[in-house]
Amino acid sequence: TVAKLTADLPALQTAQTAAQTANNEATAAQAAAKQTFDAKQAAMKEFAEVLAKAQAASAKLPQDAELAATTQKLKVRGDQLTAEAAEAQKVLTAKDEALKGAAAQLTAATAAVTANTTQAAALTQQIPALEAQQAPAAEKAKADAAALDALARKIPDELTDAMMGLSPQSPQGG
């Protein structure tokens, strides 16, 4: 009914608003994770170039212990950056999935609000036609009740008349 649809609408709209908020938050979290991942990727690329140059210099000067130690520190830091980038990728993947879930919930909530509003509008449009039919139907029901009442009053009189017209049968015996 229109009343039920109207009563349900605020809860549906609240769910839609909550889904929109969750979707906005998931979008922001995913964007932040993407930015972090992209920054780690860019740093890794540049760092790989520095490390490659340091390794090349170490290869040209194998007797330089300080250069070898610095190159080793760079390699350790490069491994750390690789691990950090892998972790950032995991976080980004998780945020992508969370965003997909939030988007699906928002889509479902929006569809529920739309369906409710559409049904309520369709039923509301039927109200004038139904109201227009109500008065004639009530008049017909009143007329039918009056006719039934008249028939109900008439039946006992007709039964009495019919009974009067019957002659009692004499018992036949033998």
Side-chain angles (χ1 to χ4, degrees), residues 2 11 14 28 31 42 45 49 68 71 88-89 112 118 124 129-130 142 155-156 174:
V2 173
T14 299
K45 182 180 178 201
E49 292 171 8
T71 302
Q89 176 65 55
T118 301
T124 301
L130 294 173
K142 187 176 177 183
I155 289 174

Side-chain angles (χ1 to χ4, degrees), residues 33-45 47 77-93:
K34 175 104 173 84
Q35 185 177 15
T36 299
F37 175 73
D38 289 346
K40 292 285 182 185
Q41 287 288 93
M44 272 182 46
K45 182 180 178 201
F47 198 84
R77 184 61 186 129
D79 292 344
Q80 290 172 344
L81 278 175
T82 300
E84 290 170 12
E87 184 58 31
Q89 176 65 55
K90 287 180 188 175
V91 170
L92 177 58
T93 300

Side-chain angles (χ1 to χ4, degrees), residues 27-118:
T27 299
Q30 188 272 351
K34 175 104 173 84
Q35 185 177 15
T36 299
F37 175 73
D38 289 346
K40 292 285 182 185
Q41 287 288 93
M44 272 182 46
K45 182 180 178 201
E46 290 178 21
F47 198 84
E49 292 171 8
V50 170
L51 179 58
K53 288 181 182 182
Q55 288 171 332
S58 287
K60 290 178 184 175
L61 300 170
Q63 71 285 2
D64 191 334
E66 193 175 328
L67 182 56
T70 301
T71 302
Q72 182 57 34
K73 284 182 183 179
L74 288 173
K75 180 170 180 353
V76 169
R77 184 61 186 129
D79 292 344
Q80 290 172 344
L81 278 175
T82 300
E84 290 170 12
E87 184 58 31
Q89 176 65 55
K90 287 180 188 175
V91 170
L92 177 58
T93 300
K95 299 298 181 187
D96 283 342
E97 291 304 314
L99 178 57
K100 287 178 189 174
Q105 287 179 339
L106 177 57
T107 299
T110 301
V113 168
T114 300
N116 176 290
T117 313
T118 301

